[in-house]
């Protein structure tokens, strides 16, 4: 393994291959038919040091993700010791394929990575992503309703969607997340639409934060295409209350740097349909914030069905219901920002508290707002693909300008009471959110004009946009949200990383296979083989001088269906190059000698005590393998899992 890992607490692990033959020649197993790998998408993990990868396979075979720092890829070839993460998954509910997903962990900050999925001799193309600093300011991008297929022309919808992702990521190359407003496709079970949605290369380069929309809920395809962290797929969080049905659902959360994201399935809102309804979501959000709210500076909710929007869905019964069910809870829980889709038009709400305008004097289109206690900003995103737009609707003069009502804004009677800004030009847009230590900056940006690709306009929709005055990349709306800091003064200080101050380790060299050669018969009752592991380089220059240890354990050796126990492997650790206070672990005899567990149980390779000097050490071990004489002839391999621990 050539991936240097920074460790604060806990453990990191890598794998090292071992091989031994019981005869001078072995016959390789026949390769299985190569699987076709499609639908690869990078997803968000539980924190900034994780990513998920999900894909479809034409064959039900064991597969994995391999990841290396891009600088280690030479002429398109991975080194011999990539970090490897086994995939899990199953048969698709429909479509005749199989879904696979894996979680990449222990990523380093500010590092470019290359990855591929599949299996030996059958890899996908290589894709790349980059981590940024794990602390401080960052931007993420929010996309509303690609809804591929809703124009009636999948290829036109795809073209607009690809262009928006390309425009947005080119303008914001260091954006760290792509966040979904839901409705990835028009018809949940139609894989040609999913293929078109997954066409942008950006979905393999930036983590996609999936959100389920009403057009995504009608099959298991949404759950099969996306892997999300900390997922709760219990019955109340499904619209029909039945996670085992051919529908998708569930809620999830994660923390990315200073933001706690909570993503809910707003398709479940009426208990009459069988799910837990809005009450279940309020409980979920409450529980997550109570447990994790203090771990982040900002709280951002994401769900599909907008409750404060300007167009066709603004007066829907479910929107009115949610305008009663959600806002008071969100205000009391300290939510800062709510991102929504569904209404295929853009709006920015006033700061809302307890289902009312928090500050009656807040002016329409204000560029700077201060949340005050309980003020929440709600954003509705327009179409990111151009597949469908909804025109802004008029407020109801006979309805109240608060609560569930759709009454007019006293300050601007042509708009709804709750919206500071409303916009619909029939051009594609996306939302950029800047997360800063003392504010959120929310900006709606044009990713297209009236010109193609713009499916709804190409198919006859009118368009209200002058490309000279409002070109691609221009701003529709921008607001800076300042948090409420109580009655006193808020103090802030940034503590930088100590320089230097890291603990890390690598496997020395690229050859990850330790070949023990051909075992020799001994005393008529067993075989013996020997060798040495590739040395482990340990570097520790932390000021804390915290203790560390390196240990390892071995899997069973196998050759197809033939196996023998890993307990027959023993070792004698040694310090190859002294430094960092390193001392060798205790020798471990082969289980053949003492009926023990050998290296089948995790054993110490080396360690250093608290207060050890800074420096670099190199650890090694001589291996001894004793195999019972009744083991069948073959070429056997095993995996030595090496784990680093530090406090």
């Amino acid at each position: 393994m050539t991936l240097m890992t920074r460790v604060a607490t806990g453990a990191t692990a890598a794998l090292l291959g071992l091989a031994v033959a019981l005869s001078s020649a072995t016959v390789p197993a026949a390769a299985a038919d190569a699987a076709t790998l499609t639908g690869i998408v990078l997803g968000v993990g539980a924190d900034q040091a994780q990513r998920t990868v999900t894909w479809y396979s034409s064959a039900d075979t064991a597969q994995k993700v391999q990841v290396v720092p891009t600088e280690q890829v030479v002429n398109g070839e991975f080194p011999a010791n990539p970090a490897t993460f086994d995939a899990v998954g199953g048969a698709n509910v429909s479509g005749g394929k199989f879904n696979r997903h894996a979680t990449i962990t222990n990523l380093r900050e500010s590092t470019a990575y290359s990855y591929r999925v599949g299996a030996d001799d059958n890899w996908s193309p290589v894709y790349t992503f980059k981590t940024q600093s794990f602390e401080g300011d960052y931007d993420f991008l929010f996309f509303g309703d690609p809804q591929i297929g809703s124009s009636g022309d999948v290829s036109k919808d795809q073209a607009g969607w690809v262009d928006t992702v390309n425009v947005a990521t080119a303008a914001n190359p260091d954006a760290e997340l792509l966040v979904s407003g839901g409705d990835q496709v028009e018809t949940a079970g139609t894989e040609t639409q999913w293929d078109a949605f997954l066409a942008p290369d950006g979905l393999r380069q930036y983590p996609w934060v999936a959100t389920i929309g009403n057009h995504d809920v009608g099959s298991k395809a949404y759950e099969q295409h996306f892997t999300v962290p900390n997922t709760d797929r219990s019955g109340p969080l499904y619209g029909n209350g039945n996670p085992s049905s051919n529908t998708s659902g569930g809620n999830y959360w994660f923390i990315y740097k200073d933001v706690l994201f909570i993503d809910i399935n707003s398709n479940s809102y009426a208990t009459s349909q069988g799910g837990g309804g809005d009450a279940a979501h309020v409980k979920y959000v409450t529980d997550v914030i109570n447990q994790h709210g203090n771990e982040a500076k900002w709280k951002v909710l994401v769900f599909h069905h907008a409750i404060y929007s300007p167009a066709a869905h603004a007066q829907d019964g479910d929107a009115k219901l949610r305008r009663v069910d959600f806002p008071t809870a969100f205000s009391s829980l300290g939510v800062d920002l709510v991102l929504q889709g569904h209404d295929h038009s853009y709006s920015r709400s006033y700061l809302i508290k307890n289902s009312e305008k928090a500050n009656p004097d807040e002016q329409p289109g204000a560029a700077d707002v201060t949340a005050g206690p309980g003020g929440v900003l709600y954003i509705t995103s327009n179409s990111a693909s151009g597949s469908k737009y909804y025109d802004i609707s008029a407020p109801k003069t006979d309805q109240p300008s608060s609560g569930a009502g759709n009454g007019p804004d006293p300050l601007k009677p042509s708009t709804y009471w709750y919206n500071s800004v409303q916009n619909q030009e029939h051009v594609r847009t996306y939302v950029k959110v800047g997360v800063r230590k003392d504010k959120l900056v929310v900006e709606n940006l044009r990713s297209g004009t009236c010109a193609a690709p713009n499916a709804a306009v190409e198919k006859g929709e009118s368009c209200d946009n002058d490309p000279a005055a409002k070109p691609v990349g221009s701003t529709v709306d921008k607001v800076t949200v300042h948090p409420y800091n109580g009655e006193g003064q808020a103090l802030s200080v940034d503590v930088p990383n100590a320089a230097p101050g890291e603990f890390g380790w690598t496997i020395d060299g690229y050859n990850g296979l330790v070949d023990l050669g051909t075992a020799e018969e001994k005393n008529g009752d067993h075989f013996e083989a020997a060798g040495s592991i590739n040395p482990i380089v340990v570097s520790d220059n932390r000021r804390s001088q915290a203790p560390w240890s390196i240990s390892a354990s071995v899997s069973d050796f196998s050759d197809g269906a033939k196996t023998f126990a890993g307990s027959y492997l023993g070792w004698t650790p040694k310090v190859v190059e002294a430094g960092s206070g390193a001392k060798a672990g205790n020798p471990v005899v082969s289980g053949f000698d003492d009926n023990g567990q050998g290296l089948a149980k995790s054993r110490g390779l080396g360690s250093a005590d608290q207060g050890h000097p800074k420096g670099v050490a190199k650890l090694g071990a001589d291996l001894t393998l004793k195999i019972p004489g009744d083991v069948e002839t073959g070429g056997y391999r095993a995996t030595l899992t090496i784990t680093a621990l530090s406090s």
Side-chain angles (χ1 to χ4, degrees):
M1 169 126 173
T2 54
L3 180 66
M4 179 69 78
T5 306
R6 179 178 178 177
V7 178
T9 59
T12 59
L15 307 177
L16 192 64
L18 304 173
V20 63
L22 265 70
S23 64
S24 59
T26 59
V27 179
D33 291 339
T36 301
L37 308 171
T38 58
I40 300 169
V41 58
L42 188 69
V44 71
D47 57 33
Q48 57 271 18
Q50 294 186 3
R51 300 289 187 272
T52 64
V53 186
T54 310
W55 66 97
Y56 274 10
S57 170
S58 62
D60 190 14
T61 57
Q63 296 172 25
K64 54 196 171 186
V65 177
Q66 290 188 335
V67 186
V68 295
T70 300
E71 64 183 11
Q72 295 178 10
V73 179
V74 179
N75 296 324
E77 296 295 325
F78 272 39
N81 300 303
T84 301
F85 303 89
D86 291 335
V88 296
N92 288 349
V93 173
S94 59
K97 294 184 178 181
F98 305 87
N99 60 83
R100 294 288 184 266
H101 65 270
T103 299
I104 302 169
T105 60
N106 296 316
L107 295 169
R108 294 184 304 184
E109 60 184 340
S110 304
T111 303
Y113 286 98
S114 295
Y115 71 99
R116 61 187 182 182
V117 308
D120 293 341
D121 301 321
N122 183 37
W123 293 109
S124 72
V126 175
Y127 303 104
T128 62
F129 65 88
K130 182 180 179 181
T131 61
Q132 306 292 338
S133 170
F134 285 174
E135 300 288 344
D137 299 345
Y138 73 101
D139 298 332
F140 67 87
L141 309 179
F142 178 59
F143 299 89
D145 297 63
Q147 205 167 326
I148 304 299
S150 64
S151 75
D153 191 321
V154 169
S155 63
K156 289 184 184 295
D157 296 349
Q158 175 181 328
W161 171 233
V162 170
D163 193 55
T164 287
V165 174
N166 290 345
V167 165
T169 55
N172 305 279
D174 292 329
E176 301 195 29
L177 302 171
L178 308 183
V179 181
S180 164
D183 277 3
Q184 277 80 192
V185 296
E186 168 73 9
T187 308
T190 301
E191 287 298 332
T192 54
Q193 295 176 8
W194 284 106
D195 291 342
F197 167 77
L198 294 170
D201 288 337
L203 298 189
R204 284 161 288 285
Q205 299 168 346
Y206 297 83
W208 182 249
V209 181
T211 299
I212 189 167
N214 56 298
H215 286 268
D216 304 317
V217 76
S219 83
K220 286 295 183 191
Y222 172 88
E223 293 182 7
Q224 294 165 179
H225 276 295
F226 301 123
T227 302
V228 294
N230 302 316
T231 310
D232 185 341
R233 289 203 170 101
S234 56
L237 305 180
Y238 279 70
N240 63 2
N242 184 7
S244 64
S245 63
N246 189 21
T247 59
S248 293
N251 295 352
Y252 71 99
W253 65 273
F254 63 96
I255 293 177
Y256 194 92
K257 293 165 80 162
D258 284 334
V259 180
L260 169 61
F261 288 89
I262 305 176
D263 197 292
I264 66 175
N265 169 29
S266 57
N267 295 285
S268 176
Y269 70 92
T271 55
S272 60
Q273 298 172 342
D278 290 346
H281 295 308
V282 170
K283 181 180 185 304
Y284 179 87
V285 172
T286 300
D287 289 346
V288 171
I289 290 178
N290 284 344
Q291 295 171 32
H292 303 284
N294 290 333
E295 299 171 27
K297 294 179 182 177
W298 304 98
K299 303 175 185 69
V300 175
L301 300 189
V302 189
F303 55 84
H304 179 63
H305 293 79
I307 63 175
Y308 297 117
S309 66
H313 289 302
Q315 298 177 31
D316 288 354
D318 62 300
K320 293 182 177 181
L321 177 64
R322 291 188 182 95
R323 285 203 289 271
V324 174
D325 291 345
F326 283 166
T328 297
F330 295 169
S331 293
S332 65
L333 290 168
V335 171
D336 299 290
L337 176 65
V338 178
L339 301 174
Q340 315 156 109
H342 192 52
D343 216 8
H344 296 249
S345 52
Y346 174 76
S347 66
R348 181 237 296 185
S349 78
Y350 292 110
L351 291 170
I352 303 295
K353 178 181 179 181
N354 301 344
S355 296
E356 296 183 343
K357 189 176 176 182
N359 176 8
D361 296 326
E362 183 186 336
Q363 295 299 300
D368 281 86
V369 296
T370 300
V376 182
L377 184 71
Y378 294 78
I379 297 292
T380 306
S381 53
N382 201 355
S383 171
S385 68
S387 65
K388 183 197 294 183
Y389 304 106
Y390 290 143
D391 289 327
I392 291 173
S393 56
K396 297 291 188 180
T397 57
D398 60 345
Q399 291 188 13
S401 295
S402 63
N406 286 102
D409 179 5
L411 301 179
K412 192 176 181 181
S414 62
T415 64
Y416 290 107
W417 67 265
Y418 42 74
N419 280 336
S420 173
V421 176
Q422 301 180 164
N423 176 269
Q424 181 58 280
E425 300 170 9
H426 297 166
V427 299
R428 296 177 281 113
T429 68
Y430 68 96
V431 174
K432 175 182 177 180
V433 179
V435 179
R436 308 293 181 256
K437 65 181 180 181
D438 59 344
K439 59 192 173 185
L440 295 176
V441 182
V442 182
E443 188 172 8
N444 187 36
L445 297 159
R446 296 177 181 89
S447 57
T449 63
C450 296
N454 193 344
V457 172
E458 292 177 67
K459 295 175 75 67
E461 188 93 49
S462 63
C463 189
D464 179 22
N465 172 268
D466 176 359
K470 302 175 181 178
V472 171
S474 59
T475 298
V476 175
D477 176 45
K478 183 176 181 179
V479 62
T480 299
V481 184
H482 303 275
Y484 177 68
N485 291 311
E487 300 302 325
Q489 297 184 27
L491 301 178
S492 174
V493 63
D494 292 330
V495 179
N497 288 330
E502 294 187 346
F503 167 73
W505 60 280
T506 62
I507 296 174
D508 192 28
Y510 291 117
N511 181 14
L513 183 66
V514 178
D515 191 349
L516 303 180
T518 300
E520 297 181 2
E521 187 174 2
K522 297 288 185 179
N523 299 328
D525 66 343
H526 72 282
F527 296 90
E528 291 187 14
S532 298
I533 69 168
N534 295 322
I536 308 298
V537 178
V538 181
S539 175
D540 192 358
N541 51 24
R542 295 171 297 174
R543 293 183 299 172
S544 65
Q545 300 177 313
W548 57 261
S549 65
I550 305 288
S551 59
S553 63
V554 71
S555 67
D556 287 347
F557 286 76
S558 63
D559 176 15
K562 299 178 292 185
T563 65
F564 64 83
S567 60
Y568 295 125
L569 182 68
W571 72 2
T572 302
K574 56 188 177 182
V575 176
V576 179
E577 293 182 8
S580 193
K583 54 186 179 181
N586 295 323
V588 176
V589 301
S590 166
F592 181 84
D593 291 331
D594 65 356
N595 292 318
Q597 293 181 287
L599 288 182
K601 178 181 177 180
S602 182
R603 308 286 190 172
L605 174 66
S607 63
D609 297 330
Q610 174 67 47
H612 65 80
K614 299 177 182 179
V616 177
K618 187 178 291 187
L619 304 175
D622 296 324
L623 302 174
T624 302
L625 181 63
K626 295 185 178 181
I627 310 166
D630 57 359
V631 171
E632 296 181 66
T633 298
Y636 291 82
R637 291 197 177 197
T639 298
L640 189 70
T641 300
I642 303 164
T643 303
L645 290 167
S646 183
S647 58

